[in-house]
Amino acid sequence: MCGIIGIASNKPVSINIINSLKKLEYRGYDSAGLATLDNNLIDEKKCSGRVDELEKILFKNPSNGNIGIGHVRWATHGAPNIINAHPHSSEEVSVVHNGIIENSDELKKDLEAQGFKFKSQTDTEVITVLVTQFLKNSKPLISVFKTLKKLKGSFALGIIFKNFSNIIIGARRGSPLAVGYSKEENYLGSDSYALKSMTNKISYLDDGELCILDKDNVEFYDVNQKKINKKIHTVSDDENISDKGDYKNFMSKEIFEQPATIKKCLNEYTDSLKKDINIYNFPIDPKKVNKIVLIGCGTAYHSCLVAKYWFEELTSLDVDIDIASEFRYRNLKFNSSNLYIFVSQSGETADTAAALDICKKNKVKTCSIVNVVESTIARNCDWVLPIHAGPEIGVASTKAFLGQLIVLYILALKLAITREDIDKKDYNNNIKSLQKLPEAIKNTLKLESEIQLMAKEFLDAKGSMFLGRGNSFPVALEGALKLKELSYLHAEGYPAGEMKHGPLALIEEGLPVIVIAPNDRYYEKTLSNTQEVIARGGKIFFITDNKKRLLSTNIRFRLRVPRVDNLLSPLLLTIPLQLLAYHVALLKNCDIDKPRNLAKSVTVE
Ligand code: F6R
């Protein structure tokens, strides 16, 4: 993961580097650093912890250089401390890196045998040493090319040079890298968001490419060291994302934004007058699609799981789903009439991007469902369906999950009508049901005060279980993921019917068990599974949309969300679980927007 920034300007750059690093903190937040060139010396400042710490260091001891690079780290090689924080500098160069150098141990051994000493445990420092070595006989551009040839793995790099004090070199293999343009100032950044306050004119490096920038010019080179031109994109200037408003943190803002984001997404994709869905240009004729293959990681994978139920229910299509980190290493049989759909909020997740590359190599048609439309995954797919959720800053995904669900549902519906798997009446009714969602989500959010009370019951818990059946099973998985990542409380998500095959052994007096039980065809079965848990002492938190109180005794808490079409119930049932995880974490004083050990965009394998 990690985030990198580089600025070449005609004025001091450290304040803008700090501001950009704050935006990049979603990519890593265990240490931070920057280096500027001041009076032909590399001025490096680093800290463990957050960018705020780095800002304090700069406040006491400013950096005045007009050219500089910065970094926020998510540790891969070596503990998150000040020595391992980037940049990694020699007398001659300073390097920031996002990615993993897979052959760093080998390279390090060779270099140590030649007498080089390493200060850190990072993989990045080999880059510093190699570039410094090559600079003895070559110019910066050639030194970097020579270095890149020796590296295996993934990287986005930013490098400054003591004796070539007007340039920054950037290079990309695997990890994303953007270039921004402004008057007498040019930039390098892990994404356009980091550069947004300075420019909306952006180019993206492709794999193997390199750029060299000064305050007035940017040159690009391909992997063969040939000069190339890159397209300049104008990045949309959407809502004011860096503002939490009256909310305590981004996560609560994003949870409460869900009625609005879902409304926006529905407006983009549905035509309520014509009662139709605005999705065209399928990369494969819908009638000729053989199978849908859905791929994602974490929460995005959970949205694929929910969608599997929808595609199976609404269409005659076969559906496969896979976790991207598994998909990329399996011995798969690719089929040109399958549509491979990649779901990712960030569009930068390394495993998902690698799975997409494999599909591209096998020349099959690909679609991405992403939030960040300028992302690598979006740019590399044949077809992009944005979720229009607006930037999601909290590390735990909330509004993007609901956005992914909506787009997947809409896609399933459109495929169903185009393939004549459902009739026009059902299609229209389904679109009508979708329109009711924003209001239903708003009403679900009103359950917050009840959920706050519920959260108290989790403070002394040793663990917890989330149970559901049918399309509530992935909701259970998502609820468990939210609780563990935010509050660090162990949580298991299980299909309720599977409990008796092992996990029932975990149930003991007082263990919190969250049962997700909409009034669907599984309802009675889920009630029986709940009884089995009650009989063994489990403390039940029952979340349903059923008005009837079929189970009333031995239920510790009962929450009722509004009733919508059964297929759409996962969207509403997820919300209490988001709020539960949020309030447990708040009571435990956890860092809500930046849970420990995590990062928003997982750009390493
Ligand atoms: C959990 C969470 C992660 C992400 C996963 C994939 O709250 O946010 O599990 O869903 O890392 O990220 P994207 O969707 O950016 O590919």
mmCIF file of all heavy atoms in Angstrom, residues 231-275:
data_model
loop_
_atom_site.group_PDB
_atom_site.id
_atom_site.type_symbol
_atom_site.label_atom_id
_atom_site.label_comp_id
_atom_site.label_asym_id
_atom_site.label_seq_id
_atom_site.Cartn_x
_atom_site.Cartn_y
_atom_site.Cartn_z
ATOM 1 N N LYS A 231 -2.154 10.959 -22.567
ATOM 2 C CA LYS A 231 -3.385 11.731 -22.586
ATOM 3 C C LYS A 231 -3.528 12.516 -21.272
ATOM 4 O O LYS A 231 -3.170 11.996 -20.206
ATOM 5 C CB LYS A 231 -4.528 10.730 -22.715
ATOM 6 C CG LYS A 231 -5.819 11.316 -23.131
ATOM 7 C CD LYS A 231 -6.802 10.212 -23.448
ATOM 8 C CE LYS A 231 -8.184 10.823 -23.377
ATOM 9 N NZ LYS A 231 -9.221 9.845 -23.307
ATOM 10 N N ILE A 232 -4.025 13.733 -21.357
ATOM 11 C CA ILE A 232 -4.299 14.501 -20.120
ATOM 12 C C ILE A 232 -5.811 14.458 -19.850
ATOM 13 O O ILE A 232 -6.609 14.838 -20.706
ATOM 14 C CB ILE A 232 -3.803 15.955 -20.243
ATOM 15 C CG1 ILE A 232 -2.290 15.956 -20.500
ATOM 16 C CG2 ILE A 232 -4.147 16.753 -18.990
ATOM 17 C CD1 ILE A 232 -1.679 17.332 -20.673
ATOM 18 N N HIS A 233 -6.175 13.957 -18.682
ATOM 19 C CA HIS A 233 -7.596 13.873 -18.311
ATOM 20 C C HIS A 233 -7.957 15.063 -17.418
ATOM 21 O O HIS A 233 -7.127 15.520 -16.634
ATOM 22 C CB HIS A 233 -7.875 12.610 -17.481
ATOM 23 C CG HIS A 233 -7.456 11.338 -18.153
ATOM 24 N ND1 HIS A 233 -8.338 10.531 -18.809
ATOM 25 C CD2 HIS A 233 -6.234 10.751 -18.262
ATOM 26 C CE1 HIS A 233 -7.686 9.486 -19.299
ATOM 27 N NE2 HIS A 233 -6.408 9.597 -18.974
ATOM 28 N N THR A 234 -9.198 15.505 -17.530
ATOM 29 C CA THR A 234 -9.681 16.506 -16.572
ATOM 30 C C THR A 234 -10.519 15.760 -15.537
ATOM 31 O O THR A 234 -11.542 15.158 -15.875
ATOM 32 C CB THR A 234 -10.520 17.582 -17.280
ATOM 33 O OG1 THR A 234 -9.712 18.133 -18.300
ATOM 34 C CG2 THR A 234 -10.971 18.674 -16.324
ATOM 35 N N VAL A 235 -10.065 15.794 -14.303
ATOM 36 C CA VAL A 235 -10.740 15.026 -13.257
ATOM 37 C C VAL A 235 -11.940 15.814 -12.749
ATOM 38 O O VAL A 235 -11.849 17.032 -12.538
ATOM 39 C CB VAL A 235 -9.752 14.742 -12.100
ATOM 40 C CG1 VAL A 235 -10.429 13.999 -10.970
ATOM 41 C CG2 VAL A 235 -8.577 13.936 -12.615
ATOM 42 N N SER A 236 -13.071 15.108 -12.572
ATOM 43 C CA SER A 236 -14.294 15.805 -12.158
ATOM 44 C C SER A 236 -14.124 16.394 -10.762
ATOM 45 O O SER A 236 -13.432 15.839 -9.909
ATOM 46 C CB SER A 236 -15.467 14.839 -12.172
ATOM 47 O OG SER A 236 -15.241 13.846 -11.207
ATOM 48 N N ASP A 237 -14.776 17.488 -10.558
ATOM 49 C CA ASP A 237 -14.624 18.215 -9.310
ATOM 50 C C ASP A 237 -15.874 17.993 -8.471
ATOM 51 O O ASP A 237 -16.710 18.864 -8.359
ATOM 52 C CB ASP A 237 -14.445 19.697 -9.675
ATOM 53 C CG ASP A 237 -14.004 20.502 -8.482
ATOM 54 O OD1 ASP A 237 -13.447 19.899 -7.564
ATOM 55 O OD2 ASP A 237 -14.240 21.725 -8.501
ATOM 56 N N ASP A 238 -16.040 16.782 -7.918
ATOM 57 C CA ASP A 238 -17.306 16.539 -7.215
ATOM 58 C C ASP A 238 -17.309 17.120 -5.796
ATOM 59 O O ASP A 238 -16.547 18.013 -5.482
ATOM 60 C CB ASP A 238 -17.755 15.067 -7.260
ATOM 61 C CG ASP A 238 -16.618 14.099 -7.048
ATOM 62 O OD1 ASP A 238 -15.633 14.517 -6.454
ATOM 63 O OD2 ASP A 238 -16.733 12.955 -7.497
ATOM 64 N N GLU A 239 -18.146 16.571 -4.964
ATOM 65 C CA GLU A 239 -18.429 17.177 -3.663
ATOM 66 C C GLU A 239 -17.192 17.429 -2.786
ATOM 67 O O GLU A 239 -16.148 16.887 -3.019
ATOM 68 C CB GLU A 239 -19.426 16.294 -2.892
ATOM 69 C CG GLU A 239 -18.934 14.894 -2.695
ATOM 70 C CD GLU A 239 -19.524 13.945 -3.711
ATOM 71 O OE1 GLU A 239 -19.266 14.146 -4.895
ATOM 72 O OE2 GLU A 239 -20.221 13.026 -3.314
ATOM 73 N N ASN A 240 -17.398 18.244 -1.791
ATOM 74 C CA ASN A 240 -16.286 18.570 -0.903
ATOM 75 C C ASN A 240 -16.002 17.409 0.040
ATOM 76 O O ASN A 240 -16.619 17.236 1.069
ATOM 77 C CB ASN A 240 -16.651 19.825 -0.088
ATOM 78 C CG ASN A 240 -15.462 20.251 0.731
ATOM 79 O OD1 ASN A 240 -14.397 19.646 0.659
ATOM 80 N ND2 ASN A 240 -15.648 21.287 1.512
ATOM 81 N N ILE A 241 -15.039 16.603 -0.383
ATOM 82 C CA ILE A 241 -14.844 15.331 0.274
ATOM 83 C C ILE A 241 -14.063 15.393 1.561
ATOM 84 O O ILE A 241 -14.160 14.520 2.384
ATOM 85 C CB ILE A 241 -14.102 14.398 -0.689
ATOM 86 C CG1 ILE A 241 -12.966 15.176 -1.298
ATOM 87 C CG2 ILE A 241 -15.034 13.871 -1.728
ATOM 88 C CD1 ILE A 241 -12.160 14.382 -2.230
ATOM 89 N N SER A 242 -13.296 16.446 1.718
ATOM 90 C CA SER A 242 -12.425 16.430 2.883
ATOM 91 C C SER A 242 -13.131 16.987 4.114
ATOM 92 O O SER A 242 -12.540 17.135 5.154
ATOM 93 C CB SER A 242 -11.163 17.220 2.592
ATOM 94 O OG SER A 242 -11.537 18.462 2.086
ATOM 95 N N ASP A 243 -14.402 17.278 3.967
ATOM 96 C CA ASP A 243 -15.110 17.901 5.061
ATOM 97 C C ASP A 243 -16.016 16.886 5.761
ATOM 98 O O ASP A 243 -16.922 16.324 5.153
ATOM 99 C CB ASP A 243 -15.937 19.063 4.469
ATOM 100 C CG ASP A 243 -16.605 19.851 5.554
ATOM 101 O OD1 ASP A 243 -16.283 19.617 6.737
ATOM 102 O OD2 ASP A 243 -17.465 20.685 5.223
ATOM 103 N N LYS A 244 -15.784 16.705 7.078
ATOM 104 C CA LYS A 244 -16.610 15.761 7.831
ATOM 105 C C LYS A 244 -17.920 16.413 8.264
ATOM 106 O O LYS A 244 -18.776 15.748 8.827
ATOM 107 C CB LYS A 244 -15.882 15.295 9.097
ATOM 108 C CG LYS A 244 -14.643 14.469 8.834
ATOM 109 C CD LYS A 244 -14.247 13.694 10.077
ATOM 110 C CE LYS A 244 -13.578 14.569 11.101
ATOM 111 N NZ LYS A 244 -12.122 14.512 11.058
ATOM 112 N N GLY A 245 -18.022 17.731 8.050
ATOM 113 C CA GLY A 245 -19.210 18.449 8.513
ATOM 114 C C GLY A 245 -19.358 18.297 10.011
ATOM 115 O O GLY A 245 -18.390 18.373 10.756
ATOM 116 N N ASP A 246 -20.585 18.016 10.463
ATOM 117 C CA ASP A 246 -20.830 17.889 11.899
ATOM 118 C C ASP A 246 -20.541 16.482 12.418
ATOM 119 O O ASP A 246 -20.737 16.202 13.604
ATOM 120 C CB ASP A 246 -22.293 18.227 12.214
ATOM 121 C CG ASP A 246 -22.539 19.709 12.021
ATOM 122 O OD1 ASP A 246 -21.548 20.465 12.061
ATOM 123 O OD2 ASP A 246 -23.703 20.088 11.802
ATOM 124 N N TYR A 247 -20.127 15.602 11.555
ATOM 125 C CA TYR A 247 -19.908 14.216 11.985
ATOM 126 C C TYR A 247 -18.588 14.073 12.728
ATOM 127 O O TYR A 247 -17.630 14.788 12.457
ATOM 128 C CB TYR A 247 -19.936 13.273 10.778
ATOM 129 C CG TYR A 247 -21.312 13.152 10.189
ATOM 130 C CD1 TYR A 247 -21.692 13.927 9.098
ATOM 131 C CD2 TYR A 247 -22.246 12.286 10.741
ATOM 132 C CE1 TYR A 247 -22.957 13.833 8.563
ATOM 133 C CE2 TYR A 247 -23.526 12.186 10.215
ATOM 134 C CZ TYR A 247 -23.869 12.956 9.125
ATOM 135 O OH TYR A 247 -25.134 12.870 8.609
ATOM 136 N N LYS A 248 -18.551 13.091 13.638
ATOM 137 C CA LYS A 248 -17.340 12.832 14.432
ATOM 138 C C LYS A 248 -16.213 12.313 13.571
ATOM 139 O O LYS A 248 -15.049 12.508 13.858
ATOM 140 C CB LYS A 248 -17.651 11.726 15.462
ATOM 141 C CG LYS A 248 -18.173 12.181 16.789
ATOM 142 C CD LYS A 248 -17.931 11.029 17.800
ATOM 143 C CE LYS A 248 -18.422 11.391 19.163
ATOM 144 N NZ LYS A 248 -19.867 11.232 19.332
ATOM 145 N N ASN A 249 -16.571 11.595 12.535
ATOM 146 C CA ASN A 249 -15.553 10.964 11.685
ATOM 147 C C ASN A 249 -16.167 10.690 10.315
ATOM 148 O O ASN A 249 -17.376 10.828 10.124
ATOM 149 C CB ASN A 249 -15.047 9.663 12.331
ATOM 150 C CG ASN A 249 -16.182 8.908 12.946
ATOM 151 O OD1 ASN A 249 -17.180 8.656 12.282
ATOM 152 N ND2 ASN A 249 -16.085 8.613 14.223
ATOM 153 N N PHE A 250 -15.303 10.288 9.373
ATOM 154 C CA PHE A 250 -15.791 10.050 8.012
ATOM 155 C C PHE A 250 -16.740 8.853 7.960
ATOM 156 O O PHE A 250 -17.686 8.841 7.188
ATOM 157 C CB PHE A 250 -14.621 9.837 7.053
ATOM 158 C CG PHE A 250 -13.998 11.129 6.615
ATOM 159 C CD1 PHE A 250 -12.781 11.551 7.122
ATOM 160 C CD2 PHE A 250 -14.655 11.944 5.702
ATOM 161 C CE1 PHE A 250 -12.223 12.752 6.731
ATOM 162 C CE2 PHE A 250 -14.100 13.147 5.299
ATOM 163 C CZ PHE A 250 -12.884 13.560 5.808
ATOM 164 N N MET A 251 -16.466 7.845 8.801
ATOM 165 C CA MET A 251 -17.306 6.652 8.701
ATOM 166 C C MET A 251 -18.775 6.976 8.990
ATOM 167 O O MET A 251 -19.667 6.557 8.260
ATOM 168 C CB MET A 251 -16.815 5.544 9.625
ATOM 169 C CG MET A 251 -17.619 4.279 9.389
ATOM 170 S SD MET A 251 -17.212 2.979 10.525
ATOM 171 C CE MET A 251 -18.363 1.722 9.988
ATOM 172 N N SER A 252 -19.008 7.768 10.078
ATOM 173 C CA SER A 252 -20.414 8.060 10.385
ATOM 174 C C SER A 252 -21.017 8.931 9.283
ATOM 175 O O SER A 252 -22.165 8.746 8.880
ATOM 176 C CB SER A 252 -20.569 8.705 11.756
ATOM 177 O OG SER A 252 -19.765 9.835 11.856
ATOM 178 N N LYS A 253 -20.210 9.845 8.747
ATOM 179 C CA LYS A 253 -20.713 10.675 7.638
ATOM 180 C C LYS A 253 -21.120 9.763 6.465
ATOM 181 O O LYS A 253 -22.197 9.924 5.885
ATOM 182 C CB LYS A 253 -19.619 11.653 7.198
ATOM 183 C CG LYS A 253 -19.984 12.470 5.982
ATOM 184 C CD LYS A 253 -18.851 13.421 5.597
ATOM 185 C CE LYS A 253 -19.200 14.222 4.373
ATOM 186 N NZ LYS A 253 -18.336 13.951 3.235
ATOM 187 N N GLU A 254 -20.257 8.807 6.186
ATOM 188 C CA GLU A 254 -20.500 7.948 5.017
ATOM 189 C C GLU A 254 -21.691 7.014 5.229
ATOM 190 O O GLU A 254 -22.453 6.746 4.303
ATOM 191 C CB GLU A 254 -19.206 7.198 4.660
ATOM 192 C CG GLU A 254 -18.215 8.164 4.017
ATOM 193 C CD GLU A 254 -16.746 7.781 4.118
ATOM 194 O OE1 GLU A 254 -16.442 6.653 4.566
ATOM 195 O OE2 GLU A 254 -15.893 8.622 3.767
ATOM 196 N N ILE A 255 -21.876 6.564 6.490
ATOM 197 C CA ILE A 255 -23.054 5.726 6.770
ATOM 198 C C ILE A 255 -24.322 6.552 6.545
ATOM 199 O O ILE A 255 -25.274 6.110 5.906
ATOM 200 C CB ILE A 255 -23.010 5.176 8.221
ATOM 201 C CG1 ILE A 255 -21.896 4.146 8.370
ATOM 202 C CG2 ILE A 255 -24.352 4.577 8.618
ATOM 203 C CD1 ILE A 255 -21.697 3.618 9.797
ATOM 204 N N PHE A 256 -24.302 7.792 7.049
ATOM 205 C CA PHE A 256 -25.517 8.610 6.958
ATOM 206 C C PHE A 256 -25.720 9.234 5.580
ATOM 207 O O PHE A 256 -26.795 9.745 5.284
ATOM 208 C CB PHE A 256 -25.541 9.648 8.092
ATOM 209 C CG PHE A 256 -25.996 9.021 9.368
ATOM 210 C CD1 PHE A 256 -25.099 8.428 10.229
ATOM 211 C CD2 PHE A 256 -27.350 8.953 9.677
ATOM 212 C CE1 PHE A 256 -25.514 7.784 11.383
ATOM 213 C CE2 PHE A 256 -27.789 8.312 10.834
ATOM 214 C CZ PHE A 256 -26.868 7.720 11.698
ATOM 215 N N GLU A 257 -24.697 9.167 4.750
ATOM 216 C CA GLU A 257 -24.840 9.651 3.365
ATOM 217 C C GLU A 257 -25.573 8.640 2.481
ATOM 218 O O GLU A 257 -25.912 8.936 1.340
ATOM 219 C CB GLU A 257 -23.438 9.815 2.752
ATOM 220 C CG GLU A 257 -22.926 11.232 2.715
ATOM 221 C CD GLU A 257 -21.450 11.262 2.327
ATOM 222 O OE1 GLU A 257 -20.938 10.285 1.761
ATOM 223 O OE2 GLU A 257 -20.828 12.273 2.610
ATOM 224 N N GLN A 258 -25.773 7.424 3.009
ATOM 225 C CA GLN A 258 -26.232 6.340 2.125
ATOM 226 C C GLN A 258 -27.565 6.604 1.415
ATOM 227 O O GLN A 258 -27.682 6.289 0.232
ATOM 228 C CB GLN A 258 -26.219 5.008 2.878
ATOM 229 C CG GLN A 258 -24.771 4.572 3.134
ATOM 230 C CD GLN A 258 -24.617 3.274 3.905
ATOM 231 O OE1 GLN A 258 -24.108 2.313 3.387
ATOM 232 N NE2 GLN A 258 -25.035 3.270 5.149
ATOM 233 N N PRO A 259 -28.561 7.230 2.074
ATOM 234 C CA PRO A 259 -29.787 7.508 1.304
ATOM 235 C C PRO A 259 -29.478 8.377 0.079
ATOM 236 O O PRO A 259 -29.992 8.129 -1.017
ATOM 237 C CB PRO A 259 -30.683 8.265 2.296
ATOM 238 C CG PRO A 259 -30.166 7.880 3.642
ATOM 239 C CD PRO A 259 -28.690 7.642 3.484
ATOM 240 N N ALA A 260 -28.598 9.372 0.272
ATOM 241 C CA ALA A 260 -28.295 10.287 -0.846
ATOM 242 C C ALA A 260 -27.468 9.594 -1.927
ATOM 243 O O ALA A 260 -27.728 9.777 -3.128
ATOM 244 C CB ALA A 260 -27.542 11.507 -0.312
ATOM 245 N N THR A 261 -26.489 8.792 -1.529
ATOM 246 C CA THR A 261 -25.642 8.163 -2.563
ATOM 247 C C THR A 261 -26.445 7.128 -3.350
ATOM 248 O O THR A 261 -26.275 6.992 -4.558
ATOM 249 C CB THR A 261 -24.365 7.516 -1.966
ATOM 250 O OG1 THR A 261 -24.739 6.652 -0.922
ATOM 251 C CG2 THR A 261 -23.399 8.535 -1.442
ATOM 252 N N ILE A 262 -27.327 6.429 -2.657
ATOM 253 C CA ILE A 262 -28.133 5.424 -3.374
ATOM 254 C C ILE A 262 -29.102 6.127 -4.327
ATOM 255 O O ILE A 262 -29.311 5.702 -5.460
ATOM 256 C CB ILE A 262 -28.893 4.520 -2.351
ATOM 257 C CG1 ILE A 262 -27.878 3.679 -1.582
ATOM 258 C CG2 ILE A 262 -29.933 3.647 -3.022
ATOM 259 C CD1 ILE A 262 -26.895 2.897 -2.434
ATOM 260 N N LYS A 263 -29.634 7.264 -3.881
ATOM 261 C CA LYS A 263 -30.541 8.031 -4.747
ATOM 262 C C LYS A 263 -29.794 8.482 -6.005
ATOM 263 O O LYS A 263 -30.282 8.378 -7.125
ATOM 264 C CB LYS A 263 -31.065 9.236 -3.966
ATOM 265 C CG LYS A 263 -32.253 9.867 -4.617
ATOM 266 C CD LYS A 263 -32.874 10.857 -3.683
ATOM 267 C CE LYS A 263 -34.132 11.398 -4.337
ATOM 268 N NZ LYS A 263 -34.830 12.297 -3.475
ATOM 269 N N LYS A 264 -28.567 8.977 -5.784
ATOM 270 C CA LYS A 264 -27.772 9.466 -6.909
ATOM 271 C C LYS A 264 -27.504 8.314 -7.903
ATOM 272 O O LYS A 264 -27.656 8.471 -9.122
ATOM 273 C CB LYS A 264 -26.451 10.039 -6.373
ATOM 274 C CG LYS A 264 -25.578 10.598 -7.449
ATOM 275 C CD LYS A 264 -24.467 11.466 -6.903
ATOM 276 C CE LYS A 264 -23.663 12.029 -8.073
ATOM 277 N NZ LYS A 264 -22.254 11.922 -7.929
ATOM 278 N N CYS A 265 -27.133 7.183 -7.359
ATOM 279 C CA CYS A 265 -26.820 6.030 -8.207
ATOM 280 C C CYS A 265 -28.066 5.596 -8.992
ATOM 281 O O CYS A 265 -27.994 5.324 -10.192
ATOM 282 C CB CYS A 265 -26.306 4.902 -7.317
ATOM 283 S SG CYS A 265 -25.633 3.542 -8.220
ATOM 284 N N LEU A 266 -29.218 5.590 -8.304
ATOM 285 C CA LEU A 266 -30.460 5.207 -8.989
ATOM 286 C C LEU A 266 -30.792 6.201 -10.095
ATOM 287 O O LEU A 266 -31.221 5.817 -11.181
ATOM 288 C CB LEU A 266 -31.613 5.127 -7.985
ATOM 289 C CG LEU A 266 -31.590 3.917 -7.049
ATOM 290 C CD1 LEU A 266 -32.672 4.043 -5.979
ATOM 291 C CD2 LEU A 266 -31.785 2.625 -7.844
ATOM 292 N N ASN A 267 -30.573 7.493 -9.806
ATOM 293 C CA ASN A 267 -30.841 8.506 -10.848
ATOM 294 C C ASN A 267 -29.958 8.294 -12.061
ATOM 295 O O ASN A 267 -30.367 8.551 -13.192
ATOM 296 C CB ASN A 267 -30.610 9.917 -10.299
ATOM 297 C CG ASN A 267 -31.725 10.315 -9.360
ATOM 298 O OD1 ASN A 267 -32.788 9.689 -9.353
ATOM 299 N ND2 ASN A 267 -31.479 11.328 -8.535
ATOM 300 N N GLU A 268 -28.714 7.854 -11.812
ATOM 301 C CA GLU A 268 -27.794 7.639 -12.933
ATOM 302 C C GLU A 268 -28.239 6.461 -13.796
ATOM 303 O O GLU A 268 -28.048 6.467 -15.000
ATOM 304 C CB GLU A 268 -26.374 7.345 -12.421
ATOM 305 C CG GLU A 268 -25.705 8.507 -11.707
ATOM 306 C CD GLU A 268 -25.221 9.603 -12.649
ATOM 307 O OE1 GLU A 268 -25.084 9.334 -13.861
ATOM 308 O OE2 GLU A 268 -24.997 10.735 -12.162
ATOM 309 N N TYR A 269 -28.790 5.444 -13.160
ATOM 310 C CA TYR A 269 -29.014 4.202 -13.900
ATOM 311 C C TYR A 269 -30.474 3.909 -14.253
ATOM 312 O O TYR A 269 -30.731 3.021 -15.056
ATOM 313 C CB TYR A 269 -28.469 3.010 -13.103
ATOM 314 C CG TYR A 269 -26.964 2.912 -13.144
ATOM 315 C CD1 TYR A 269 -26.183 3.231 -12.045
ATOM 316 C CD2 TYR A 269 -26.314 2.488 -14.306
ATOM 317 C CE1 TYR A 269 -24.803 3.143 -12.086
ATOM 318 C CE2 TYR A 269 -24.932 2.400 -14.357
ATOM 319 C CZ TYR A 269 -24.184 2.725 -13.245
ATOM 320 O OH TYR A 269 -22.819 2.634 -13.307
ATOM 321 N N THR A 270 -31.412 4.603 -13.593
ATOM 322 C CA THR A 270 -32.804 4.241 -13.899
ATOM 323 C C THR A 270 -33.553 5.436 -14.464
ATOM 324 O O THR A 270 -33.296 6.581 -14.110
ATOM 325 C CB THR A 270 -33.561 3.737 -12.649
ATOM 326 O OG1 THR A 270 -33.541 4.772 -11.665
ATOM 327 C CG2 THR A 270 -32.965 2.479 -12.085
ATOM 328 N N ASP A 271 -34.463 5.121 -15.348
ATOM 329 C CA ASP A 271 -35.305 6.142 -15.935
ATOM 330 C C ASP A 271 -36.713 5.859 -15.419
ATOM 331 O O ASP A 271 -37.383 4.939 -15.892
ATOM 332 C CB ASP A 271 -35.207 6.003 -17.462
ATOM 333 C CG ASP A 271 -35.990 7.079 -18.168
ATOM 334 O OD1 ASP A 271 -36.962 7.577 -17.567
ATOM 335 O OD2 ASP A 271 -35.624 7.409 -19.299
ATOM 336 N N SER A 272 -37.130 6.625 -14.396
ATOM 337 C CA SER A 272 -38.399 6.276 -13.750
ATOM 338 C C SER A 272 -39.591 6.551 -14.679
ATOM 339 O O SER A 272 -40.625 5.915 -14.562
ATOM 340 C CB SER A 272 -38.551 6.990 -12.411
ATOM 341 O OG SER A 272 -38.258 8.332 -12.564
ATOM 342 N N LEU A 273 -39.433 7.508 -15.623
ATOM 343 C CA LEU A 273 -40.532 7.776 -16.561
ATOM 344 C C LEU A 273 -40.739 6.600 -17.506
ATOM 345 O O LEU A 273 -41.831 6.074 -17.653
ATOM 346 C CB LEU A 273 -40.212 9.023 -17.385
ATOM 347 C CG LEU A 273 -40.532 10.367 -16.733
ATOM 348 C CD1 LEU A 273 -40.223 11.489 -17.691
ATOM 349 C CD2 LEU A 273 -41.975 10.405 -16.272
ATOM 350 N N LYS A 274 -39.597 6.192 -18.097
ATOM 351 C CA LYS A 274 -39.704 5.081 -19.065
ATOM 352 C C LYS A 274 -39.675 3.722 -18.367
ATOM 353 O O LYS A 274 -39.786 2.693 -18.986
ATOM 354 C CB LYS A 274 -38.531 5.172 -20.054
ATOM 355 C CG LYS A 274 -38.763 6.215 -21.142
ATOM 356 C CD LYS A 274 -37.821 6.000 -22.312
ATOM 357 C CE LYS A 274 -36.562 6.816 -22.064
ATOM 358 N NZ LYS A 274 -35.434 6.490 -22.860
ATOM 359 N N LYS A 275 -39.511 3.757 -17.072
ATOM 360 C CA LYS A 275 -39.385 2.531 -16.272
ATOM 361 C C LYS A 275 -38.347 1.606 -16.910
ATOM 362 O O LYS A 275 -38.610 0.458 -17.237
ATOM 363 C CB LYS A 275 -40.720 1.820 -16.139
ATOM 364 C CG LYS A 275 -41.746 2.623 -15.370
ATOM 365 C CD LYS A 275 -42.916 1.746 -14.976
ATOM 366 C CE LYS A 275 -43.955 2.515 -14.230
ATOM 367 N NZ LYS A 275 -44.626 3.561 -15.024
#
